Amino acid sequence: MRLLAGFDAGQTHTRCRLSVVQKGLHQTVGEGEGPGVSHLDAPQGERSFIEAIRTSAQHALKDHPAGVLQAVVVGASGIEHGTALQERAERLVGQALAIGDDTKLTKVMVTGDERTALRGAIPEGAGILAISGTGMIVLGRDENGHEHRCGGWGWLLDGAGSAFDLGHQGLQMTLRMADGRMADHPLRLQIWHQMGCDSYAAVKARVVQHNFGTANFAALAPLVVEAAAQGCSGAEEIVQRSAAALSNCISTVAQQLSMLSPVVVCHGGTVTHLPGFRTAVQQAIRQSIPEARWGKAKGDACDGALLMAEALTVRPR
């Protein structure tokens, strides 16, 4: 069986979906999951990437041990399209899937997960995809196929509009409550208890431990959004500020691509699982782009990767 493989490699987990194309339609024949990835230059970055691809592929291929991968496309967090990092990631995919350099049968492409997500959500035509999960990024495509991205530069540089951003700001606010710069609120203890802390000193020590990272900050976001819904003014300000940052990226993409009434599709746990944040983003967009239309994704990032894999079998990269 000649298979196409599409991967969605995010910071939390990696998904692999296998398909065969019959009469122009993709038929899913296998799915698997593996661990998440980090930037290739992060500690253990390459090992994490290989493990994520290998594990998710093994699970997807369990019912097709003799299947031949005709084309593989990976959408991965932290990969910049058209860079040496992309080429490096493609070599790592070859290692993970035991594809030799002399093998011409399997075509491999690795790109940013925002591009596979955009292709899945809006397979044809123009539109904007806003992803707000642990991190965030916004990518748009016009009618001529030109793309423009905003944000997505990583939490150390630009995470505004993400779950990390909400949780990070919330934790900072609890310390201002603790030292008297702000009135205290039950949110402070809620956040500290979730972190396993009972004092500001414990908080300070916890965030510098090696096992505390972006996902731990992001896990605090639901508490902040819930507190905002219950009237905590500080939390309300955080939600509005973060929503405005995501909205600004969306409107910037629209301006750069000369879109007057763009279709906007939102992905990611922050907008799908936190209604208060989603509402704030929608309100901000209505103010900046009154003619914007909210769209529903036609598929996910694995679907987008499979469409791109199919294209690789038709024409070279």
Side-chain angles (χ1 to χ4, degrees):
M1 181 180 290
R2 295 166 69 81
L3 304 169
L4 302 178
F7 292 80
D8 179 29
Q11 298 178 43
T12 305
H13 67 280
T14 297
R15 296 182 298 136
C16 172
R17 184 172 300 153
L18 305 176
S19 75
V20 294
V21 180
Q22 296 179 341
K23 297 181 180 180
L25 299 175
H26 284 260
Q27 177 183 347
T28 299
V29 295
E31 299 206 41
E33 288 200 8
V37 300
S38 56
H39 196 284
L40 293 185
D41 286 326
Q44 304 298 317
E46 290 196 354
R47 176 184 289 183
S48 297
F49 185 85
I50 291 174
E51 180 63 21
I53 298 301
R54 177 180 293 147
T55 301
S56 57
Q58 286 175 343
H59 290 164
L61 284 164
K62 65 181 183 297
D63 294 328
H64 306 282
V68 176
L69 296 178
Q70 188 178 8
V72 174
V73 170
V74 178
S77 175
I79 299 297
E80 298 296 334
H81 191 75
T83 65
L85 195 67
Q86 180 185 30
E87 297 176 3
R88 187 167 143 207
E90 289 170 355
R91 290 194 296 271
L92 294 174
V93 169
Q95 293 179 35
L97 301 179
I99 300 170
D101 292 338
D102 59 345
T103 301
K104 303 300 181 183
L105 180 62
T106 303
K107 296 181 172 65
V108 175
M109 181 171 72
V110 180
T111 189
D113 56 353
E114 73 279 2
R115 286 185 161 79
T116 51
L118 176 63
R119 183 67 185 275
I122 309 172
E124 303 293 339
I128 298 174
L129 176 68
I131 303 174
S132 176
T134 301
M136 62 75 62
I137 191 168
V138 177
L139 179 69
R141 182 181 64 233
D142 67 15
E143 292 289 354
N144 298 315
H146 299 133
E147 295 181 347
H148 187 79
R149 63 86 68 86
C150 248
W153 303 114
W155 68 277
L156 284 172
L157 299 173
D158 177 29
S162 67
F164 160 78
D165 181 44
L166 291 165
H168 185 226
Q169 288 192 66
L171 182 56
Q172 290 177 313
M173 182 174 65
T174 67
L175 295 175
R176 292 195 293 273
M177 291 175 179
D179 67 16
R181 283 178 286 172
M182 291 182 65
D184 203 4
H185 188 275
L187 176 62
R188 176 178 63 82
L189 288 180
Q190 291 170 7
I191 287 178
W192 288 10
H193 287 166
Q194 180 159 315
M195 296 173 61
C197 299
D198 58 6
S199 68
Y200 61 83
V203 170
K204 186 176 180 180
R206 179 73 181 97
V207 297
V208 298
Q209 293 174 7
H210 74 279
N211 63 344
F212 193 92
T214 53
N216 301 94
F217 283 112
L220 305 176
L223 297 175
V224 176
V225 176
E226 178 60 26
Q230 294 178 358
C232 174
S233 60
E236 288 175 337
E237 291 175 6
I238 289 172
V239 170
Q240 294 300 323
R241 189 160 53 239
S242 192
L246 185 61
S247 172
N248 178 251
C249 286
I250 295 171
S251 59
T252 298
V253 169
Q255 292 167 6
Q256 292 293 322
L257 295 176
S258 300
M259 295 178 172
L260 299 179
S261 57
V263 173
V264 179
V265 175
C266 289
H267 264 191
T270 316
V271 287
T272 57
H273 299 315
L274 301 178
F277 182 70
R278 179 173 65 249
T279 298
V281 172
Q282 291 174 334
Q283 291 173 343
I285 284 295
R286 276 195 290 269
Q287 293 180 358
S288 60
I289 318 176
E291 301 300 317
R293 295 164 289 150
W294 291 98
K296 184 177 181 180
K298 293 186 176 179
D300 61 15
C302 283
D303 293 322
L306 287 169
L307 288 173
M308 296 168 75
E310 181 185 8
L312 284 182
T313 67
V314 178
R315 55 178 172 77
R317 291 183 50 185

